[in-house]
Amino acid sequence: MDPLAGMDDSSTDDETSSQTTEDDPQVPEQHTQRPPPPPIVQPPPPAPSASNVPRERPHYQERHVLRGHTKSISAVKFSPDGKLLASCGAETVVKLWSPETGDFIRNLAGHTEGLSDVSWSSDSAYLASASDDTTIRIWSVETGITRKVLKGHTKWVFCLNYNTTSNLLVSGGCDGDVRIWNVARGKCMKTLHAHLDYVTAVHFNRDASLIVSCALDGLIRIWNASNGQCLKTLAEGHNAICQHVQFSPNSKYILSTAHDSAIRLWDYQSTRCLKTYTGHTNSKYCISACFSVTGGKYIVAGSEDHKTYIWDLQTREIVQVLEGHNDVVVAVATHPTDNMIATGSIESDLTIRIWIDRGPRSAA
Amino acid sequence: MNELLSNPFNTLSHPTAVQTNLPALALFSKFDPTGRYVASARATGSADVWDLETRNSIRWLDGHVKPVTSIDWSHKSRYLLTSSKDWNVVVWDLASTCDPPQRYSTLRFDAPVVSASFHPKNSRIILVLLTTGEAYLCDSRKATRSRTMLKEIVDDDSDDEEMKGEPSSRSRTHMTVARFDPAGKHIFIGTSNGTLLVFRTRTKTMIARHRISGANVMKGIEFTKNGRRLVTNSSDRTLRHFVTPTYSEAVEDGTAPGGVLEQDLEPTHRFNDPINKTAWHAMAYSPDGEWLAGGAADPAAHKIYVWDLSNDGQFASTLDGGREPLVHLHWHPLKSLIASTTNQGNIFIWHSPNPERWGAFAGGFEEVDENVEYEEREDEFDIEDEVVLLERKMKAEEEDVDILGMSVATSPPNARSSVGVHGPSSASAYASSAPTRSGSVNERAGSNERDPTAAQQSGAAGAGAVTNSGDSGMRVDTPDGLPDGHGGGGALTKEKEKEKEETPGIASVMDQDPDALWAGEEPDDDVPGLWKMKILIEGDDEE
């Protein structure tokens, strides 16, 4: 019924209401049989922060436009040392850029089909890429050589992530499987038959004890990484098919984006939605969101209205909108140490834009 | 924090089943303090480091020509020490990017080394025991570089007869086991005649001698993580569990009348196998100090005995690991995992398996163990205006969240009170007007953690009930749960006071405690976050 009921703070029943109501007793996996969802009640614009302290606002400005991709971009990622930006898209190569100068550095070529995701090892020495050729490649960034080809997925690999110590990789495929890989040997350690539909995001928590995954079946699942057991399932509203999840930097919360044009911050221990960020458009594409913690604390996400939105983490207000792309912004990344954002767009745009924040004066 | 998700009862049980078998050709194996690795020693003189996550051997440390006799990890796992029968102690730096790793430093002695261990606070201070029965404290810090032999102080006068008349050997007792206590303040040395000698680490002087009646040759000493209990293994095939003695200022400084404190120690518990009378190869406390595991020296079986110390040392169970006899065991520093080594060199990793909870696959579904009569709340089927609901929700969302702080992340109770509770008035308002849609028990709550809140809502709606949900935090760090009954009452109350004094935190203790200050001066660079162990990829795949 109420799409926001699942986030209600006031009740122990919020898990229930996010799932099933007396009108709709189906379990959410069977979403094909569900009656069409009732119209969404748009939440009123969030009230300004109760505190009197004026919150700082970001002042991001476009710095570079990186051209070179010939097909839709699917992911952009800063290296953990901040020196490089990796991007991938529907062509078969990973591109490396210098975020500082905007220069193109090199292609990592070897895959035979398009790419959906890339992930950096924490020492920035290796890069893993997920491809539609059903393999994952681990590249030595310095030499550009493939160090390992991870084979095992039976369909397109859609998403992947290293753990913090970078001895493990987790990947999600379009067969609904989540696989955990031993990076040193290049072997699959474990396969979780996690979902019934495309797995669109997987992420380790800080100490790699948990994995969160989400899929187009509308569910977010939390797994015990060491034994592969499912620990919890979070389900959003019926129309909120989730496409991206990640743990917060301290691994206490989960950030998810969904097709009801809402980004949610969950306390997964209590299965409660703590924050909802709205105002952008997201009902069709797999759009990622990310935390920005280098300046103020923000949530950054692309949108189908060709813009990039920045929300204040606490107040949920939109504090800046970045305009420049002329197609859907699907990929965003924030720099690990600087106030820098990279965004990537699809078909009729095909650019990566680097935005930096030099403080209020430069914006004036 | 996932402990809460995977283990709803928040208790650390003991392991019950073998999870993994590492074919390590090991003599013994030891977890590192972070719990990510296992180091194993080989008879060939090399040592391996295993990654527990990938179950791969990730480093091969080749530094000795004779069997390795002991391994120790520095306090934050950066350095690894191996001692060997080839008279050497080698320190390895795991932050080194060389492959194979090169030795970081070597200490050479005049006899085979029985054991060596790092000071718990500073890896530049190493305690070494030789087969000659001598112990050395080696300080390799620039300012205080030294190698000091730890000498037993013997009274040469009158009470010779009292000490059973062993005049020739008395000048030098054979030391058979040497360990730092977990704070590094004292060194405990077991001897071949059943005494425990205590040295103050900073001054390297002996401050106490404890006779343990009936113990004979001391074979091992282990401490609980907080250092308040210790267990000894001796040649009389008995494990003795003690309250760690504490010493007065005068004894510590050696200014007490009569010099060295002479005291008999009476164990609070004795553990042995009354039927087979097996000896013990090794013993280990669980991280919370509530369990004690003993590895039986059974020549034909792999048996680990587990005692429940929180339950007055009652025997809990025997873990049977098959036919390969056990030679060593070590408990994980944080979790319910034990690594036991067989005489064939295999390392068994024991764990306590969680039963798969299929209910976790459905969102908002809770498994109940037995039928529960569901009592609906007063307002459970009240219909509320969606606008009101939405408003309340928006208000709730204004609470600040902390996405960076780790302290919040590891202590759910605080997070609950900071995120979920608005103060007494608003909290009770929420609870009493909670919207509801379902009546089924199974659909009620998704997580065990919410149960206290549920109870609150069905009963009195008060803010206090929300905040108390945190009592079930992880119990690893709490003071050990031994009942106060055993041991001398006076000593225990004194110890309690000491516990209170010590609680204010490491920083303030560091300011006052000269021993901690001493270990802290010229610290080693074993600082988490400042070093990393490089992931080495084996071979290339390039087609």
Side-chain angles (χ1 to χ4, degrees), chain A residues 178-246:
Chain A
V178 168
R179 282 173 184 261
I180 304 170
W181 306 84
N182 175 349
V183 171
R185 293 236 167 109
K187 293 278 181 287
C188 180
M189 293 174 56
K190 201 164 278 152
T191 304
L192 315 176
H193 301 293
H195 292 278
L196 302 174
D197 209 331
Y198 288 26
V199 179
T200 52
V202 283
H203 194 226
F204 276 111
N205 72 341
R206 249 179 100 85
D207 62 359
S209 56
L210 303 179
I211 291 169
V212 63
S213 67
C214 75
L216 295 184
D217 60 11
L219 303 172
I220 300 171
R221 285 202 164 119
I222 297 172
W223 307 86
N224 180 334
S226 60
N227 63 14
Q229 289 181 355
C230 180
L231 298 174
K232 187 168 263 193
T233 300
L234 311 178
E236 303 192 43
H238 355 270
N239 53 343
I241 301 300
C242 174
Q243 334 110 42
H244 185 82
V245 280
Q246 69 185 104

Side-chain angles (χ1 to χ4, degrees), chain B residues 126-156:
Chain B
I126 295 172
L127 174 65
V128 178
L129 181 70
L130 305 181
T131 48
T132 55
E134 297 162 330
Y136 289 90
L137 187 67
C138 305
D139 190 340
S140 58
R141 298 177 297 177
K142 280 198 193 75
T144 52
R145 185 181 294 272
S146 62
R147 183 183 284 195
T148 314
M149 186 172 155
L150 299 175
K151 290 200 186 81
E152 181 180 5
I153 300 173
V154 186
D155 294 332
D156 276 332

